[in-house]
Amino acid sequence: MSGEHASGRIIEGYARGGADLAADEVWAVEAHLEACRVCRDQLSAVVTAEVPAVVSLVGTVWSGLEPRLAVTATMRRGRFRQAWLSRLSRWMTPAMVPWLAMVVGVTLLALLLDVLGTGTGEVSMVLLFAPVLPVLGVAASWARGLDPAYELTASAPRAGLQLVLRRTASVLGVVVPVLLVCGWATGVMVAQWLLPCLAFTAATLALGGAVGVTRAAVVLAAVWAALVMAPTVATSRTAVVLRPDGLPVWALLAALGTAVVIARRSAYSVLDTHR
Amino acid sequence: MTSAVNAADLAPTAYAWEIQAVGLKVRVGRKRMAVDGLDLRLGTGVHGLLGPNGAGKTTLIRTLATVLRPTEGTLEMFGESVGGRGEHRALRRRIGYLPQEFGYYKRFTVREFVEYMAWLKEVPKTDIPAAVQRAVERVGLADRADDRMKALSGGMVRRVGIAQAIVNDPAVLLLDEPTVGLDPAQRLRFRELLQELGTDTCVLVSTHLVEDVAAACTDVVLFAEGRLVFQGAPDELAAAGGPEHVGDSPLERGYSALLQNPGQERGSW
């Protein structure tokens, strides 16, 4: 209450048991005391000075409680672990850390093949793998088999677009820096892998809203493998779609996918998305 | 200062029933209607949802938890229409849900898991520690709160499931087979908890144990083949059965009597 406090008369009356106060005054002062530190201090001063019966009662309760409070178990695990875990689980399914590790592993393997030059000659493996890596990560964060609490998650108020964006951001947050290092090491232009990467991520989520995210990821990864990876490896030439002149198309696809995800935001809060 | 009693606590409710379904149909898969033309009204109290396996109990509870969309008919919760496009965030904050297959993260402690669920349920950040402690105490797991979930027995895991369902102080609590895996003593304690919750919450408990209903429920909803067969007090269910019907207790005899001829009974409800 903005600067208003109970009067000395009411607080003194309340300290003496409230017998000489009207019922509504008792009710009001009690509600006020719960939230007002100044008046609580005043009350305790009045009680200590004028009502010895209450003071001795409180003293007895405290002396009875103190031995029991001393032996109450304190939190065992460190605060650090708890803070770290709770922050992490807000951004990704607690079960998906191993999957992200796998994605990073695949990227590093592609880099190794590139550096050793044993791969496909002039074609960068990093470029070939870049679009499907986040797709795998996104699929892992929505798969039924990987997230035991998927039904609880789907029923929570925070399910839906917000959780989709959080989880996708965390996947990209892991995959993009790794690709950045790989791209720099192999001399591939950033936009050349980043745009297909974003376009595929958006497409997985957009398609996932209709058929389930895991299914969408499998379909898109298969399409990519059949139409781009296999011919590239077979012919040892960078596929048309990965050349720099294809970049505007990838940007357009990424924007389109994002628009679909936002337009169909309610689709992510039902069970069907977790398929 | 913030007032001790806020306006939302004092506001009159704008609805007659927490849950009201009229002609509700929910399709599962391509063809099957798991809930097929259901009319149901549930208010405050403990409602036992009984029915044979495959009756559509889980589908109904999932629909009420808003993770499945109604195919036809209307469903209102707190007087607000459910279904169609929205994300139902405000509505979901007032629902507690324990799914039949309660999945959890083995590496989390009880407290961490319930905290995570409280965060998912958008409990205000400053209220989370107290709400978690209260929920864990109510299910009797305060002494195991800092143990990892993988170290718990099946019954304890189930109680964690109940704790996460009540952590946001829901006005509608949906429990799908909550007594599976509880030993007799825990089941008694659970019934007490149900009765306590039922004083100010609309609790819907699906179960196949008729004695759970007798002990804890104020109201029985008998459900078969996606339709309502019977709704009424446990005594009325018991009265429906005679000595010629199968069953060990009056309630079981009433249950089998009503399921033998659902067609006739449906007309009167």
Side-chain angles (χ1 to χ4, degrees):
Chain A
M1 228 165 280
S2 51
E4 282 185 49
H5 296 291
S7 70
R9 175 188 72 83
I10 291 181
I11 287 188
E12 274 171 38
Y14 185 74
R16 290 204 184 83
D20 45 354
L21 294 180
D24 58 341
E25 280 178 321
V26 174
W27 188 85
V29 76
E30 215 154 60
H32 177 76
L33 282 169
E34 275 186 18
C36 177
R37 161 129 211 186
V38 178
C39 291
R40 277 202 302 270
D41 287 345
Q42 206 186 331
L43 176 71
S44 100
V46 170
V47 166
T48 331
E50 295 180 29
V51 199
V54 176
V55 175
S56 69
L57 177 68
V58 172
T60 322
V61 171
W62 267 116
S63 58
L65 270 180
E66 254 158 7
R68 282 201 273 163
L69 287 177
V71 297
T72 304
T74 46
M75 261 192 241
R76 258 189 279 157
R77 234 168 283 281
R79 288 208 146 261
F80 176 77
R81 176 190 131 89
Q82 212 178 358
W84 184 82
L85 192 72
S86 72
R87 198 156 302 153
L88 187 72
S89 57
R90 272 152 215 211
W91 288 94
M92 53 178 79
T93 328
M96 69 176 293
V97 175
W99 287 85
L100 277 180
M102 185 205 76
V103 166
V104 172
V106 170
T107 319
L108 294 178
L109 205 67
L111 174 68
L112 197 67
L113 287 177
D114 273 359
V115 172
L116 293 180
T118 51
T120 49
E122 294 168 27
V123 189
S124 161
M125 290 300 274
V126 171
L127 202 56
L128 270 185
F129 273 104
V132 285
L133 288 175
V135 170
L136 293 179
V138 168
S141 68
W142 289 95
R144 259 180 205 204
L146 295 181
D147 183 3
Y150 75 92
E151 192 165 350
L152 283 176
T153 311
S155 75
R158 220 178 270 274
L161 191 63
Q162 199 198 7
L163 210 58
V164 169
L165 294 183
R166 270 175 185 265
R167 289 186 172 180
T168 310
S170 71
V171 169
L172 290 176
V174 172
V175 171
V176 168
V178 175
L179 284 174
L180 204 61
V181 171
C182 296
W184 171 78
T186 52
V188 179
M189 196 166 63
V190 172
Q192 224 176 332
W193 58 261
L194 185 61
L195 285 175
C197 177
L198 293 179
F200 259 72
T201 310
T204 311
L205 289 174
L207 191 61
V211 301
V213 173
T214 316
R215 288 182 191 180
V218 170
V219 168
L220 286 177
V223 166
W224 179 257
L227 295 187
V228 180
M229 275 180 157
T232 310
V233 173
T235 59
S236 286
R237 273 201 336 221
T238 305
V240 186
V241 289
L242 284 178
R243 292 198 188 131
D245 25 328
L247 289 180
V249 180
W250 285 115
L252 192 69
L253 281 178
L256 204 66
T258 314
V260 172
V261 171
I262 292 170
R264 291 182 39 83
R265 48 166 66 206
S266 70
Y268 301 94
S269 59
V270 290
L271 276 185
D272 288 353
T273 319
H274 296 257
R275 281 188 302 193
Chain B
M1 129 185 174
T2 54
S3 170
V5 182
N6 65 25
D9 288 338
L10 296 173
T13 50
Y15 48 85
W17 307 91
E18 268 79 359
I19 297 171
Q20 182 168 21
V22 179
L24 184 70
K25 293 188 180 185
V26 185
R27 189 187 293 124
V28 171
R30 284 189 195 285
K31 278 185 185 168
R32 208 171 74 84
M33 281 290 181
V35 176
D36 195 5
L38 173 74
D39 297 314
L40 187 67
R41 287 166 168 181
L42 300 176
T44 305
V46 183
H47 309 275
L49 182 61
L50 275 177
N53 287 337
K57 299 191 293 281
T58 294
T59 306
L60 173 61
I61 286 193
R62 281 181 171 166
T63 311
L64 296 176
T66 71
V67 292
L68 288 181
R69 297 249 162 82
T71 315
E72 256 180 66
T74 58
L75 173 63
E76 284 184 7
M77 296 181 78
F78 312 115
E80 189 189 317
S81 173
V82 179
R85 301 254 123 229
E87 282 184 324
H88 304 305
R89 288 177 77 147
L91 183 70
R92 284 179 172 200
R93 273 184 223 132
R94 304 175 68 185
I95 299 178
Y97 174 44
L98 172 65
Q100 191 168 18
E101 297 156 25
F102 168 56
Y104 56 93
Y105 304 115
K106 291 191 177 68
R107 295 165 58 84
F108 276 46
T109 66
V110 172
R111 191 187 302 281
E112 283 160 358
F113 184 76
V114 181
E115 266 175 4
Y116 175 56
M117 288 312 300
W119 175 79
L120 274 180
K121 293 177 176 210
E122 298 182 329
V123 176
K125 201 176 174 186
T126 49
D127 299 350
I128 287 183
V132 169
Q133 184 64 29
R134 204 163 51 236
V136 170
E137 276 172 11
R138 279 184 108 171
V139 297
L141 281 176
D143 53 333
R144 304 296 301 268
D146 293 307
D147 286 5
R148 295 203 184 195
M149 301 272 290
K150 64 181 168 195
L152 301 183
S153 70
M156 287 180 186
V157 166
R158 214 69 206 162
R159 285 192 275 161
V160 178
I162 296 163
Q164 66 77 24
I166 60 177
V167 72
N168 54 337
D169 285 325
V172 164
L173 182 59
L174 308 163
L175 305 171
D176 201 349
E177 303 275 3
T179 52
V180 174
L182 296 186
D183 67 31
Q186 290 168 346
R187 197 166 281 164
L188 285 178
R189 177 71 198 92
F190 173 70
R191 288 174 191 161
E192 279 168 27
L193 177 63
L194 272 190
Q195 282 164 340
E196 195 184 308
L197 289 166
T199 55
D200 60 349
T201 310
C202 170
V203 188
L204 183 64
V205 195
S206 119
T207 179
H208 57 267
L209 292 173
V210 179
E211 67 262 31
D212 281 345
V213 170
C217 298
T218 53
D219 185 50
V220 185
V221 177
L222 188 55
F223 197 56
E225 289 163 17
R227 289 160 199 260
L228 185 67
V229 178
F230 168 87
Q231 184 179 7
D235 295 344
E236 291 174 48
L237 177 62
E244 73 276 18
H245 294 111
V246 200
D248 298 330
S249 65
L251 272 180
E252 283 184 11
R253 285 191 282 275
Y255 173 84
S256 43
L258 287 173
L259 284 184
Q260 271 172 12
N261 46 3
Q264 286 174 11
E265 281 295 328
R266 202 186 306 140
S268 60
W269 291 95

mmCIF file of all heavy atoms in Angstrom, chain B residues 42 47 103 110 157 183 257 269:
data_model
loop_
_atom_site.group_PDB
_atom_site.id
_atom_site.type_symbol
_atom_site.label_atom_id
_atom_site.label_comp_id
_atom_site.label_asym_id
_atom_site.label_seq_id
_atom_site.Cartn_x
_atom_site.Cartn_y
_atom_site.Cartn_z
ATOM 1 N N LEU B 42 -18.642 -31.905 -15.940
ATOM 2 C CA LEU B 42 -17.932 -32.194 -14.705
ATOM 3 C C LEU B 42 -17.660 -30.904 -13.953
ATOM 4 O O LEU B 42 -17.187 -29.932 -14.537
ATOM 5 C CB LEU B 42 -16.604 -32.905 -15.005
ATOM 6 C CG LEU B 42 -16.684 -34.252 -15.733
ATOM 7 C CD1 LEU B 42 -15.285 -34.754 -16.024
ATOM 8 C CD2 LEU B 42 -17.447 -35.273 -14.931
ATOM 9 N N HIS B 47 -13.931 -37.259 -9.898
ATOM 10 C CA HIS B 47 -14.719 -38.059 -10.819
ATOM 11 C C HIS B 47 -13.908 -39.262 -11.242
ATOM 12 O O HIS B 47 -12.794 -39.121 -11.728
ATOM 13 C CB HIS B 47 -15.088 -37.240 -12.044
ATOM 14 C CG HIS B 47 -15.698 -35.910 -11.713
ATOM 15 N ND1 HIS B 47 -17.033 -35.755 -11.456
ATOM 16 C CD2 HIS B 47 -15.145 -34.699 -11.534
ATOM 17 C CE1 HIS B 47 -17.278 -34.491 -11.158
ATOM 18 N NE2 HIS B 47 -16.148 -33.826 -11.188
ATOM 19 N N GLY B 103 6.625 -40.548 -18.849
ATOM 20 C CA GLY B 103 8.050 -40.565 -19.181
ATOM 21 C C GLY B 103 8.791 -39.520 -18.364
ATOM 22 O O GLY B 103 8.248 -38.474 -18.059
ATOM 23 N N VAL B 110 14.371 -35.681 -8.282
ATOM 24 C CA VAL B 110 12.937 -35.422 -8.193
ATOM 25 C C VAL B 110 12.683 -33.913 -8.259
ATOM 26 O O VAL B 110 11.841 -33.431 -9.011
ATOM 27 C CB VAL B 110 12.379 -36.007 -6.874
ATOM 28 C CG1 VAL B 110 10.946 -35.580 -6.680
ATOM 29 C CG2 VAL B 110 12.515 -37.515 -6.873
ATOM 30 N N VAL B 157 8.053 -43.214 -8.586
ATOM 31 C CA VAL B 157 8.035 -42.508 -9.869
ATOM 32 C C VAL B 157 6.619 -42.021 -10.163
ATOM 33 O O VAL B 157 6.402 -40.895 -10.597
ATOM 34 C CB VAL B 157 8.549 -43.435 -10.993
ATOM 35 C CG1 VAL B 157 8.219 -42.865 -12.355
ATOM 36 C CG2 VAL B 157 10.043 -43.655 -10.855
ATOM 37 N N ASP B 183 1.610 -49.566 -4.069
ATOM 38 C CA ASP B 183 1.258 -50.669 -3.175
ATOM 39 C C ASP B 183 0.030 -50.266 -2.344
ATOM 40 O O ASP B 183 -0.365 -49.101 -2.351
ATOM 41 C CB ASP B 183 2.456 -51.092 -2.316
ATOM 42 C CG ASP B 183 2.876 -50.021 -1.325
ATOM 43 O OD1 ASP B 183 2.007 -49.260 -0.875
ATOM 44 O OD2 ASP B 183 4.072 -49.943 -1.013
ATOM 45 N N ALA B 257 -23.425 -54.895 -14.785
ATOM 46 C CA ALA B 257 -24.824 -54.781 -15.206
ATOM 47 C C ALA B 257 -24.976 -53.685 -16.261
ATOM 48 O O ALA B 257 -25.640 -53.869 -17.280
ATOM 49 C CB ALA B 257 -25.694 -54.460 -13.994
ATOM 50 N N TRP B 269 -29.733 -41.204 -19.870
ATOM 51 C CA TRP B 269 -28.738 -40.228 -19.427
ATOM 52 C C TRP B 269 -28.472 -39.247 -20.527
ATOM 53 O O TRP B 269 -27.451 -38.945 -20.923
ATOM 54 C CB TRP B 269 -27.466 -40.927 -18.973
ATOM 55 C CG TRP B 269 -27.716 -41.664 -17.714
ATOM 56 C CD1 TRP B 269 -28.031 -42.966 -17.583
ATOM 57 C CD2 TRP B 269 -27.710 -41.131 -16.393
ATOM 58 N NE1 TRP B 269 -28.231 -43.292 -16.283
ATOM 59 C CE2 TRP B 269 -28.042 -42.179 -15.537
ATOM 60 C CE3 TRP B 269 -27.488 -39.851 -15.853
ATOM 61 C CZ2 TRP B 269 -28.144 -42.012 -14.165
ATOM 62 C CZ3 TRP B 269 -27.576 -39.690 -14.507
ATOM 63 C CH2 TRP B 269 -27.901 -40.753 -13.655
#
